[in-house]
């Protein structure tokens, strides 16, 4: 399902995957799957494809679309995205509220994952939106110094980090 919502006077797009097993009778988990820097929601849906898992485990997957910074898609996480004024944390919170109004979502089981810049955003959400995010997983993303220095989650947040020590794009250390 391709859709959009308005946040901070911006029309923000996303792709939502609802498994055939979803019937609305029981609250189901929601997984955010954020694309990397210069990528997009459609590419991430195929690259980090959770749809077959969602079919068997009965959860919704949302693939939000980042906005443009200097002509390339991004998530505003500080560091290499300094200069961005987009409120991606607020957008995520708004998207959670919007999807929760339309679907029966288990509010205790909202997760975030992402590739590269999407992983950075997952860390930012764990720090700044921990009242809504239960756990995160990041593939090749870490924390910017801004995220690290301003991290104050409301609960201990489980994290899974997937990263190679030889990554030339996002150094491991």
């Amino acid at each position: 399902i391709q859709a959009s919502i308005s946040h901070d006077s911006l029309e923000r797009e996303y792709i939502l995957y609802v498994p055939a097993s979803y019937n609305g009778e029981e609250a189901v988990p929601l997984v955010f799957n954020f694309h990397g820097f210069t990528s997009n929601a459609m590419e991430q849906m195929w690259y980090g494809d959770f749809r077959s898992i969602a079919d068997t485990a009965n959860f919704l997957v949302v693939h939000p679309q980042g906005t443009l910074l200097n002509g390339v898609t991004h998530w505003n996480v500080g560091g290499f995205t300094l200069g961005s004024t987009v409120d991606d944390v607020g957008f995520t919170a708004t998207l959670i509220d919007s999807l929760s109004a339309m679907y029966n979502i288990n509010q205790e089981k909202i997760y975030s994952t992402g590739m590269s810049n999407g992983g950075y955003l997952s860390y930012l959400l764990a720090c700044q939106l921990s009242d809504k995010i239960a756990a995160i997983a990041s593939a090749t993303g870490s924390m910017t110094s801004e995220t690290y220095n301003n991290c104050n989650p409301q609960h201990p947040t489980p994290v899974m980090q997937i990263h190679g020590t030889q990554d030339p794009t996002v150094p491991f250390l």
Side-chain angles (χ1 to χ4, degrees):
I1 301 169
Q2 292 189 344
S4 65
I5 61 169
S6 182
H7 176 73
D8 273 357
S9 302
L10 292 174
E11 197 67 18
R12 302 293 303 266
E13 298 177 351
Y14 64 92
I15 302 169
L16 178 68
Y17 181 76
V18 180
S21 59
Y22 176 81
N23 60 21
E25 292 176 13
E26 65 179 85
V28 299
L30 173 64
V31 175
F32 279 83
N33 191 357
F34 292 100
H35 64 76
F37 192 68
T38 76
S39 188
N40 61 58
M42 183 66 74
E43 285 180 2
Q44 184 63 20
M45 184 175 71
W46 290 99
Y47 186 71
D49 194 350
F50 287 97
R51 292 172 296 171
S52 63
I53 301 167
D55 286 338
T56 58
N58 196 26
F59 61 87
L60 306 183
V61 185
V62 62
H63 309 87
Q65 177 62 47
T67 58
L68 294 177
L69 174 66
N70 300 321
V72 296
T73 53
H74 79 294
W75 301 108
N76 183 5
V77 296
F80 59 95
T81 65
L82 282 177
S84 177
T85 58
V86 176
D87 178 13
D88 285 319
V89 174
F91 162 59
T92 303
T94 298
L95 188 50
I96 289 170
D97 293 344
S98 177
L99 293 173
S100 296
M102 295 184 284
Y103 297 93
N104 190 0
I105 294 173
N106 183 334
Q107 299 300 309
E108 303 297 314
K109 294 184 177 182
I110 299 175
Y111 306 103
S112 181
T113 188
M115 171 68 183
S116 190
N117 187 205
Y120 278 87
L121 180 59
S122 293
Y123 275 107
L124 183 62
L125 296 174
C127 293
Q128 295 187 7
L129 197 63
S130 64
D131 60 321
K132 295 182 183 285
I133 301 296
I136 69 161
S138 173
T140 76
S142 58
M143 284 188 180
T144 62
S145 58
E146 292 84 3
T147 297
Y148 181 79
N149 292 329
N150 296 297
C151 191
N152 189 22
Q154 295 180 14
H155 61 84
T157 305
V159 171
M160 180 172 71
Q161 177 67 42
I162 303 166
H163 209 135
T165 57
Q166 299 300 309
D167 186 336
T169 306
V170 180
F172 181 73
L173 297 174

